[in-house]
Amino acid sequence: MIGRRAMLAAGLAAPAIRAEAQERPIQIMVGFTPGGNIDLAARMAAPFLEKYLGGQQIIVVNRPGAGGMIMLNEVSAAAPDGRIAALVSLPALVTALYDNTPRYRVESFAYVGLLTDEPYTIFVAPNSPYRSLTDLIEAARAKPEEITMAGAGIGSAPHLALMQLENASGARFTWLPTTGAGQAMQLVQGGHVVGSISTVSLTVRAHLQGALRVLALMERQRWDKAGDLPTVAEAGFPLAAGSARGFALPAATPEPILARWEEAVRRTAEDPDFRAIAERDFLIVRHMNRATMRGFVDEQYATYGQMWQRTPWKK
């Protein structure tokens, strides 16, 4: 009799357990501190994804550290039930693999859609003596490794962008690793480091408000949304670097869940309200579906891997 009652209780509890699981918020994981460009992009997208994923609550969870590796390790090992996703940044996702030993690999994730892609800027404090990229380069040539630039960890995408500039210009800087772009900006504004590299969505508005000075856009052509910003090409260095962001779930996530997420990312990218917010905040919308994003990840892995082999970081 006791056995039957226990079995009955278990049977009645099962739907309640399933219902409770359905009520759990969906988590979008960010591998950097609050206030940085990736965190802001996640919080901007969250309400739209919440709507297109059926109205389930979405919360943004920050797991900063090791250039995003801590978060990526966690998501790669998470339950494949569609309730935890990473906002991944490229090339940061792949560059973390070159000089580290993370638990994840490129194949550890199912990539459900790219949402944004934007160029980097090189910036300094508003009262900096360096008024152009040429000024900064000449100073770094004259005093190799005495000018400190801050940003996400060793081998991160901003760090590799600086390495591209060093290779092209012959200048040599010192890179100070931070937990994310927000902390790097604070260090620059506080005068603790000379400058940093981050995306247009984080820096252009601050530049226009006089809170920092953007010296150059890391593009070959000027950007129509901020036409006064010179490019690195205008200073004699025809290179480009930036950060693309999209969503990834654990690789074992079932196909119906992946299709649902892919559709939600697409509808977010096409939503006029999202695009208006992106325009306001200097965020560039660039959507890719699952297949295209996976090809983009593989391309980034190969491209930056070759760059890393040509110019390894000397610790």
Side-chain angles (χ1 to χ4, degrees):
M1 192 70 175
I2 295 175
R4 282 191 62 192
R5 280 200 294 268
M7 291 174 63
L8 180 60
L12 291 173
I17 293 171
R18 287 194 294 270
E20 182 181 349
Q22 287 297 315
E23 292 301 318
R24 285 188 293 114
I26 294 172
Q27 297 183 2
I28 294 178
M29 309 295 288
V30 173
F32 300 93
T33 51
N37 47 12
I38 299 175
D39 176 71
L40 294 175
R43 296 179 191 278
M44 184 185 301
F48 296 91
L49 290 171
E50 192 171 89
K51 177 169 66 173
Y52 294 125
L53 287 169
Q56 297 180 70
Q57 182 188 8
I58 291 179
I59 59 174
V60 175
V61 179
N62 298 87
R63 290 281 192 273
M69 269 199 309
I70 291 174
M71 179 276 291
L72 292 168
N73 284 338
E74 181 176 339
V75 174
S76 69
D81 58 6
R83 308 202 68 79
I84 184 167
L87 180 58
V88 298
S89 181
L90 293 159
L93 180 142
V94 298
T95 57
L97 296 167
Y98 300 134
D99 196 43
N100 300 282
T101 54
R103 296 194 300 272
Y104 76 88
R105 312 302 300 167
V106 167
E107 299 78 15
S108 300
F109 303 101
Y111 303 95
V112 293
L114 198 76
L115 188 60
T116 65
D117 189 8
E118 51 183 322
Y120 281 137
T121 59
I122 302 167
F123 67 93
V124 295
N127 59 350
S128 171
Y130 307 113
R131 306 199 63 83
S132 69
L133 179 60
T134 300
D135 291 344
L136 184 67
I137 293 295
E138 289 178 352
R141 285 172 176 161
K143 298 179 179 180
E145 300 185 357
E146 288 192 22
I147 292 180
T148 301
M149 305 286 282
I154 300 296
S156 65
H159 180 210
L160 285 183
L162 182 68
M163 289 170 63
Q164 288 185 67
L165 183 63
E166 287 180 324
N167 291 340
S169 66
R172 289 293 175 266
F173 298 90
T174 290
W175 185 254
L176 176 66
T178 67
T179 55
Q183 183 188 22
M185 179 180 284
Q186 291 171 0
L187 291 173
V188 173
Q189 292 172 324
H192 305 292
V193 298
V194 169
S196 181
I197 292 177
S198 191
T199 55
V200 293
S201 62
L202 187 67
T203 59
V204 171
R205 184 176 298 278
H207 168 81
L208 295 174
Q209 294 172 342
L212 55 81
R213 180 186 300 151
V214 172
L215 299 181
L217 187 72
M218 297 196 77
E219 276 282 18
R220 295 180 177 87
Q221 295 182 337
R222 290 203 179 199
W223 188 37
D224 58 358
K225 294 181 181 179
D228 67 317
L229 295 182
T231 67
V232 291
E234 292 173 47
F237 314 112
L239 53 88
S243 177
R245 303 185 195 98
F247 294 91
L249 280 70
T253 303
E255 172 63 25
I257 295 176
L258 297 179
R260 185 164 158 258
W261 265 91
E262 180 180 32
E263 175 72 1
V265 175
R266 180 189 67 79
R267 293 182 71 181
T268 296
E270 294 174 354
D271 190 298
D273 292 335
F274 177 78
R275 298 185 77 89
I277 294 171
E279 177 82 13
R280 179 199 69 193
D281 290 348
F282 299 95
L283 191 68
I284 301 169
V285 179
R286 181 188 177 196
H287 176 250
M288 292 182 185
N289 63 18
R290 274 194 284 168
T292 308
M293 184 179 176
R294 177 54 200 265
F296 181 64
V297 171
D298 290 340
E299 177 188 341
Q300 294 263 299
Y301 184 65
T303 299
Y304 280 88
Q306 292 170 5
M307 182 190 305
W308 187 260
Q309 291 301 319
R310 288 196 302 269
T311 315
W313 176 257
K314 304 300 184 182
K315 291 186 178 179

